[in-house]
Structures are given as C-alpha cells and as structure tokens.
Amino acid sequence: MSARSNELRPGSNGDLTWERLETAPPFDQDLEIAVIEGNSIHRVVFSCRRVFGGWINANTGEHVAVQPTHWRIWPGQRRYPAK
C-alpha cells in the first residue's frame, strides 16, 4: 500500500504517491525520500541518491543520516532509465 501526501512539490506532475523503500529504483537516480510514521510524513527537502552504504544529497554528495521508509521520483526525473 502506498502512502499519499497532500503537499504539492515544485515541478510536481501531480503524483503524490509515496512508494515503499523496498521498491526503490537502482542507484544513481534522484529521489525524494521520507520517513512515514502513522499519519506523519517527514520528508527530506532536497533530492537524494541511494549509494552503497546509505543515501547522499544529490547536489552536494554529502552523506544523509536518515533511514527512509518511503520514496518517490524527484520532479523532472524519469522513473527508470530508458532501455
């Protein structure tokens, strides 16, 4: 089951669905990540990328000390690389 957020993101395509972390796409893709507990959504306000060992800020490369539970594509990103 996906969680939904009632917030609009800049550049959003209207997709407000959060996906479970287990379904996150491969490494090197900009994502919006969040920890969702009950009815509370605690999202990281900058784009992140999954790397071996955790998550980094997609803009600075700095490690992000968070253990997200959910994700969604950062606005302007394709869901999966074209084949």
Side-chain angles (χ1 to χ4, degrees):
M1 176 183 292
S2 299
R4 292 189 67 81
S5 170
N6 61 359
E7 62 188 281
L8 290 177
R9 299 174 289 160
S12 174
N13 62 4
D15 180 10
L16 301 177
T17 302
W18 289 97
E19 304 294 339
R20 294 190 52 79
L21 191 64
E22 295 82 20
T23 66
F27 299 106
D28 294 330
Q29 187 163 5
D30 291 357
L31 302 175
E32 182 174 19
I33 58 175
V35 176
I36 299 178
E37 300 174 293
N39 292 329
S40 297
I41 299 174
H42 307 282
R43 68 183 186 93
V44 176
V45 298
F46 48 83
S47 62
C48 295
R49 287 186 174 210
R50 176 188 271 181
V51 295
F52 290 105
W55 295 87
I56 61 169
N57 179 318
N59 298 316
T60 66
E62 294 180 52
H63 178 75
V64 178
V66 65
Q67 293 181 339
T69 59
H70 290 77
W71 69 276
R72 59 187 177 191
I73 297 295
W74 191 260
Q77 293 293 303
R78 291 178 291 151
R79 187 170 181 98
Y80 294 99
K83 291 185 178 182

